[in-house]
Amino acid sequence: MRVAGAIFLFIAIIFSILLLLPTPEGFPILEYHMVTDNPPIDAEVYNVPPEEFAAQLDYLQQKGYTTLTLQEFMRAKHGKLTMPDKPIVLTFDDGYANIYTEMLPILEAHGMKAVVYVISNELGKDGYLTLEQVKDLQLRGVEIGSHTADHLALVGLEGEFLLNQVRNSKIYLEWSGLDTIYSFSYPNGAYNSELAELVKREGYLTAVTGDVGLNTMESNPYTLKRVHIRQPTFGITEFKWRLLKAELAEKISLALRF
Ligand SMILES: [Zn+2]
């Protein structure tokens, strides 16, 4: 019991120190997947119901956040645009059909922006966005990014096969009539330095990972951090915790650097 007490005290002290440390600089990138009332049973954890999603956007608006795309972030990085006071990026992985049917109306009602990463070989399949919907999303100001051709775990793939996963999704989308695809999302958030190099060589300007934390103008644009927004059990309180989680993770990574 004494050991457990000591461990609890230790964790409480570390947590208090972290909370007392100044808020780190940087903006969050939120990672969503689906927005629907009817998620597939095996993917419920990846879903945020429309009502909850609307409440989350209300909260961000109340707190003075301004959404931007990653293309806009890169323009700001090159001095072509001024970053808003409290920037935040909303990203959606996998390209599910409900991004168009359920997420988009809520996003537009809030006048907000987003980045949607599509798996090019899944387009038009059951449950996924069609090419026409993707084009319309882009026309309405949603940034379209690549989430590879087939959503395979890239770490471990090699040569031509790996190259095609990164290259073909971009080419397919562009040749299908979309504007240039600048942003990339690593399947399952997993990457290494060779992959980041490859993504850069293939003409992408940004790539998002599954690492938790915040991002600044100085962040490597090929290893951007995100915070995963899963199906909430505790409503908006849980959403606030997740924003705090990104902040705490950033504090920890900064503390470990010294
Ligand atoms: Zn994915």
Side-chain angles (χ1 to χ4, degrees):
M1 268 323 270
R2 261 189 210 165
V3 176
I7 291 172
F8 178 77
L9 191 65
F10 178 73
I11 292 171
I13 290 171
I14 295 288
F15 195 72
S16 309
I17 292 172
L18 279 173
L19 281 178
L20 287 172
L21 284 172
T23 307
E25 270 186 46
F27 63 91
I29 301 178
L30 309 187
E31 175 189 353
Y32 291 93
H33 291 83
M34 311 177 181
V35 175
T36 175
D37 278 322
N38 304 300
I41 287 171
D42 58 346
E44 275 175 347
V45 67
Y46 294 104
N47 177 52
V48 176
E51 251 181 56
E52 297 264 9
F53 181 65
Q56 293 177 1
L57 298 195
D58 287 346
Y59 175 77
L60 293 177
Q61 225 153 31
Q62 280 161 22
K63 288 287 163 187
Y65 281 100
T66 304
T67 51
L68 76 164
T69 63
L70 287 170
Q71 216 172 310
E72 286 174 326
F73 164 63
M74 289 310 284
R75 287 182 63 207
K77 202 171 153 73
H78 291 101
K80 303 216 166 85
L81 194 139
T82 310
M83 284 288 269
D85 276 346
K86 279 181 87 174
I88 192 163
V89 182
L90 311 178
T91 69
F92 296 82
D93 279 8
D94 301 350
Y96 297 109
N98 51 58
I99 292 309
Y100 188 82
T101 54
E102 313 222 29
M103 188 284 283
L104 185 65
I106 300 169
L107 186 81
E108 288 188 330
H110 286 80
M112 290 184 169
K113 295 172 181 174
V115 186
V116 173
Y117 297 100
V118 302
I119 307 160
S120 55
N121 283 342
E122 299 290 352
L123 291 176
K125 291 191 186 163
D126 196 27
Y128 288 90
L129 291 163
T130 66
L131 191 56
E132 289 314 308
Q133 288 172 329
V134 174
K135 283 184 187 172
D136 196 39
L137 280 168
Q138 196 179 59
L139 273 177
R140 291 166 181 241
V142 172
E143 179 178 357
I144 302 299
S146 159
H147 199 30
T148 74
D150 294 297
H151 204 278
L152 303 171
L154 298 181
V155 179
L157 296 186
E158 285 179 348
E160 194 88 343
F161 193 66
L162 168 63
L163 179 66
N164 286 341
Q165 283 297 313
V166 176
R167 179 182 285 175
N168 290 359
S169 55
K170 183 175 185 349
I171 292 178
Y172 174 78
L173 291 167
E174 291 169 358
W175 286 8
S176 301
L178 277 110
D179 290 340
T180 314
I181 304 299
Y182 289 115
S183 295
F184 185 84
S185 171
Y186 302 101
N188 310 321
Y191 69 99
N192 57 28
S193 52
E194 289 83 40
L195 266 175
E197 270 306 309
L198 174 65
V199 168
K200 184 178 180 179
R201 264 202 317 277
E202 287 305 306
Y204 294 97
L205 299 181
T206 74
V208 289
T209 70
D211 295 351
V212 186
L214 301 174
N215 306 278
T216 68
M217 287 298 191
E218 284 71 45
S219 299
N220 179 344
Y222 296 97
T223 58
L224 294 172
K225 296 174 185 174
R226 293 196 287 182
V227 61
H228 189 201
I229 309 297
R230 353 166 116 234
Q231 181 163 62
T233 312
F234 303 106
I236 202 70
T237 307
E238 184 171 332
F239 183 65
K240 292 178 197 172
W241 287 346
R242 296 205 180 274
L243 289 175
L244 188 65
K245 180 182 167 187
E247 222 174 79
L248 289 177
E250 194 57 31
K251 282 184 187 181
I252 292 168
S253 83
L254 287 173
L256 290 176
R257 225 176 281 170
F258 290 106

